[in-house]
Amino acid sequence: EGGVWVVGPAQLARIDFGAPLTLIDSRLGLEGTVNGVARHRGLLHVLTTSGLFVLDTTRGSRQVVPLPGVTARAWDAYDAGDHLLVATAAGVYESRSTGARVVPGTGRLSAYALAPRVDRPDTMLVGSRTGLSLLVRQGSGWRFANDVAGAPRYVRTIVTRPGGVVFVGTTF
């Protein structure tokens, strides 16, 4: 996108090369420590320890507003086309323009990471405190499929490769 996002405690800044600096912090409504950012359908989503926030520029000025329903720590996000999947301490959420809902069956997960299977884009891997789980696309949404037996606990990062190869990084 021609710029770099810089993340700090309770603030976020975008440095556009050859353009002014954009600073997003508590003065615009941002709460918590920033864990990540995701762009979905032209909107900037900010994942924080206080939930999921969206940069709203529709009111003539910039404001960061919390996405209703997602107040748990947000760790990771994946653009799934018609919605944004968000890994949180209270499960995986599907965020749409109409709001957010927890993916059925994931409310028990403290989800940290998301990654699609390279060979099966209708399958999403979820890294969590309890290990690795699978979500499958069902209609226009997602549902919990199963936990992956033998996966290590506290999966924080996931890398997938062709042929079903999956690498995970853990806290330990």
Side-chain angles (χ1 to χ4, degrees), residues 32-147:
T33 300
V34 175
N35 292 322
V37 295
R39 204 174 275 284
H40 177 69
R41 296 197 171 217
L43 296 175
L44 182 70
H45 294 72
V46 185
L47 295 78
T48 79
T49 55
S50 297
L52 180 63
F53 292 79
V54 179
L55 179 61
D56 181 4
T57 58
T58 61
R59 298 182 183 129
S61 67
R62 291 184 210 218
Q63 192 66 30
V64 178
V65 295
L67 190 68
V70 186
T71 57
R73 291 175 185 255
W75 297 106
D76 195 14
Y78 178 79
D79 186 341
D82 55 342
H83 56 275
L84 185 70
L85 286 175
V86 182
T88 77
V92 178
Y93 283 80
E94 290 176 326
S95 172
R96 300 174 185 268
S97 58
T98 57
R101 74 173 186 95
V102 69
V103 172
T106 67
R108 67 176 176 79
L109 297 176
S110 185
Y112 301 124
L114 299 167
R117 296 247 333 241
V118 172
D119 55 338
R120 296 182 62 197
D122 61 335
T123 303
M124 183 68 57
L125 296 160
V126 179
S128 71
R129 181 174 288 161
T130 57
L132 195 62
S133 302
L134 296 175
L135 303 181
V136 293
R137 189 180 283 273
Q138 184 175 43
S140 64
W142 295 82
R143 70 169 176 79
F144 177 82
N146 61 281
D147 292 322

Side-chain angles (χ1 to χ4, degrees), residues 128-131 151-156 169-172:
S128 71
R129 181 174 288 161
T130 57
R153 294 171 43 112
Y154 294 94
V155 173
R156 294 285 194 157
T170 70
T171 303
F172 304 107

